[in-house]
Amino acid sequence: MQEDFIPFQNIGLCFSGGGYRATFFSLGVVSYYDKIHYLGKPLLENVEAISTVSGGTLFGVAFAKASQQENFNFQEFFTQFYNDFKPTYDMLLSTAIEKLGNDKVWKENPHKKRSLINAFALTYADMEIYKGSFDMFLDKEKLKNLKYVCFNSTEFSFGLAFRFQNCGLFGNKPLSSKHLNDLEGQLQLGDIVASSSCFPLGFEPLTFPDDYIKNQQTTAYKSVKSLERFADGVGIMDGGIADNQGIGSMINISEARKRDDELKKELDLIVVNDVGSFKMNPWQPEAKAKNESASIKSTISKIMSFVKIKPLYIIVLVVGILLMVLNSMEIVKGKSWTALYILGGIITGIGLLLTVLGLLATVAKGFGIRSIKSLFTKNVPPPLVDDVLSFGKLSIGLVQRMLTERISSTVIMVNDIFLKQVRRLNYKLLYSNSELRHKVITATVYELNGEKTAYSKSFSYNRNIKPAPSTILKNVGLTASETPTTLWWDETDIQKDRMDTLIACGQFTSCYKLMDYILKLKKNKKIKLSEEQTTAIDALYDALLEDWKAFNENPLFYVETLKKA
């Protein structure tokens, strides 16, 4: 037994990425930790650390900020957060798009590059739950129960996690410096939320420190910009790229506690709340075209044949001018005719317009060809020139299929295969450590949805927990787990009431996983619990069991309670 291990005393919560699916599953988890009591107080009061990613950061930043307030009341926080995001009031996407097109917004924020993710950052900054700076987490003497926060993102200079944290290095080791630490407290929470949640393909990276510091005349900003690694800015993007569950950051926090001269012990429990699915939509090849279309080269040549001055244009111009000249010489019945002037003018105008357009198109064509050649020369390695040029002989349909398959497979690789592989590696890091096995809970959004996983032949759950998950509970879990990874609610989400089902899923999954953990803890022969600890854990299990029974009858009962309060 590890003598410093005290069940449920110091808890760290990880909240994964996954858009609103992660945000509201996380809200459900924390709401249940506030509900369930251990040794006379909410278990939430023993939560000492959080590590969040992407959609989990949307919840985590707001919760971390609120928890530092005097007389923090979770019910009040729940009501405010819920109301800000429920479909009838959620204006996040529409507000961000409106800001993107508003010139005034960018004149008032000249430090920010005009982009969708910066529009989201400014939208977050306007929301009461995200107002403020990271400075509120830096004075450890003033911090309440939640002492360690880490909001994860990824930097695009070294390809490492970039951590907005108050424990350990701010940023990461290659980018760390005392000048960077001077900027840490100035960072706005809205920008941190945007940094962690700007997922690839949907958004572009933010640039650090340029997009983050409004007053760029300060010594701190200029000192950072003077560093070679920050001179051109560092791209900051979605935290899920490097670690979508925030596991690595939480392990760092736990190890930092052990090194602390006063604490000298790791966290007693790490709970990974994960909405990343083991499933993925399989890649589908493009259908092979039955008939080959014209080649790219012939199609471009045909189009280019119209982009030049043609003899016909000159002839039309000459005819129009000649008609007006002859009419002015009164050769038709000895007088000039108004109608002929009008007709000649129209023909002349048409000829002149076609000639000018042809001339401009010819100039543009020449410029375009030179630009493409220059771009081609700079970016195509010499050994590949012949291979690339050979594409011109291929049919348009074939090239379209080749490009589509490359793009679709790359998207799946980035958004599914790569993230799932990183997920496996991080879980291996967590569970391969024998010293942590009795200190870890993994709660997934699909845990109780009634579906078999890729690793089991049927729906699997702890048979020692009674009653078994009910049909209605599994249906709510399935609805929650099928929520897409977005930062908005669509019609299907509203119809299926996914906001409430996600919160409920976080609640009843937490209840179930805490019971599962207690049963395994009591069976662990390496862990010797005192009589007092055993009594407290048994009381906790009884309370969890009562809630579990209630969740099986009505999975949304506690969501409804919180909404009515």
Side-chain angles (χ1 to χ4, degrees), residues 3-248:
E3 294 182 359
D4 62 351
F5 172 67
I6 304 175
F8 302 108
Q9 184 176 57
N10 301 299
I11 303 173
L13 299 179
C14 298
F15 298 117
S16 78
Y20 276 0
R21 186 174 69 253
T23 304
F24 294 98
F25 184 80
S26 302
L27 178 60
V29 170
V30 171
S31 66
Y32 189 71
Y33 276 68
D34 180 68
K35 179 184 187 301
I36 196 69
H37 281 58
Y38 179 65
L39 292 176
K41 64 179 182 179
L43 195 57
L44 184 60
E45 292 188 15
N46 290 350
V47 172
E48 190 174 299
I50 62 170
S51 173
T52 71
V53 181
S54 197
T57 300
L58 260 74
F59 166 77
V61 168
F63 169 67
K65 175 194 170 184
S67 67
Q68 301 307 322
Q69 298 171 357
E70 292 292 336
N71 302 317
F72 168 62
N73 182 288
F74 182 81
Q75 173 64 64
E76 293 177 359
F77 166 74
F78 178 92
T79 301
Q80 182 179 15
F81 193 87
Y82 185 93
N83 288 337
D84 279 349
F85 286 96
K86 67 181 180 180
T88 51
Y89 294 123
D90 182 19
M91 302 293 289
L92 179 59
L93 178 61
S94 58
T95 303
I97 292 176
E98 182 182 348
K99 286 183 181 294
L100 183 62
N102 189 337
D103 293 339
K104 182 180 178 182
V105 169
W106 306 102
K107 288 179 181 178
E108 293 174 349
N109 296 277
H111 65 296
K112 282 188 173 293
K113 179 174 60 180
R114 192 167 187 160
S115 65
L116 182 59
I117 190 57
N118 270 320
F120 266 83
L122 293 171
T123 302
Y124 293 134
D126 288 341
M127 299 173 68
E128 189 63 36
I129 56 175
Y130 298 125
K131 284 184 177 178
S133 67
F134 194 74
D135 184 60
M136 69 177 65
F137 303 116
L138 298 182
D139 189 343
K140 293 186 178 180
E141 293 184 1
K142 294 182 179 180
L143 294 177
K144 310 301 180 185
N145 298 324
L146 185 62
K147 301 183 183 303
Y148 306 100
V149 298
C150 180
F151 310 120
N152 295 274
S153 62
T154 307
E155 48 84 7
F156 276 41
S157 290
F158 296 92
L160 301 173
F162 189 94
R163 298 182 173 103
F164 298 91
Q165 62 181 356
N166 65 351
C167 176
L169 290 175
F170 176 81
N172 58 38
K173 189 172 183 179
L175 294 173
S176 179
S177 76
K178 64 182 185 65
H179 299 303
L180 190 62
N181 294 338
D182 293 337
L183 279 184
E184 185 178 4
Q186 299 179 36
L187 303 181
Q188 298 301 300
L189 298 182
D191 287 334
I192 293 174
V193 174
S195 302
S196 183
S197 61
C198 54
F199 52 87
L201 300 177
F203 297 98
E204 55 279 281
L206 286 95
T207 304
F208 190 92
D210 310 65
D211 285 332
Y212 295 78
I213 305 300
K214 190 167 187 176
N215 183 2
Q216 299 185 350
Q217 301 304 313
T218 63
T219 302
Y221 173 82
K222 291 180 178 179
S223 296
V224 171
K225 288 294 289 183
S226 69
L227 301 173
E228 182 180 355
R229 291 177 177 177
F230 290 97
D232 297 322
V234 173
I236 304 292
M237 208 168 183
D238 185 13
I241 299 171
D243 177 2
N244 198 42
Q245 287 67 45
I247 293 172

Side-chain angles (χ1 to χ4, degrees), residues 361-425:
T362 301
V363 173
K365 172 184 174 182
F367 176 77
I369 291 174
R370 288 193 299 272
S371 298
I372 292 173
K373 284 183 177 179
S374 175
L375 185 65
F376 184 85
T377 302
K378 291 179 180 179
N379 293 281
V380 178
L384 297 180
V385 170
D386 290 339
D387 292 333
V388 174
L389 289 176
S390 67
F391 273 55
K393 301 175 183 178
L394 303 178
S395 71
I396 292 177
L398 176 58
V399 173
Q400 179 269 329
R401 176 164 59 84
M402 292 169 64
L403 290 175
T404 301
E405 289 184 343
R406 281 163 171 74
I407 293 171
S408 62
S409 61
T410 300
V411 170
I412 289 178
M413 179 183 68
V414 172
N415 285 345
D416 281 301
I417 296 174
F418 180 70
L419 290 183
K420 284 175 172 54
Q421 181 64 11
V422 173
R423 182 177 187 263
R424 295 185 190 102
L425 292 173

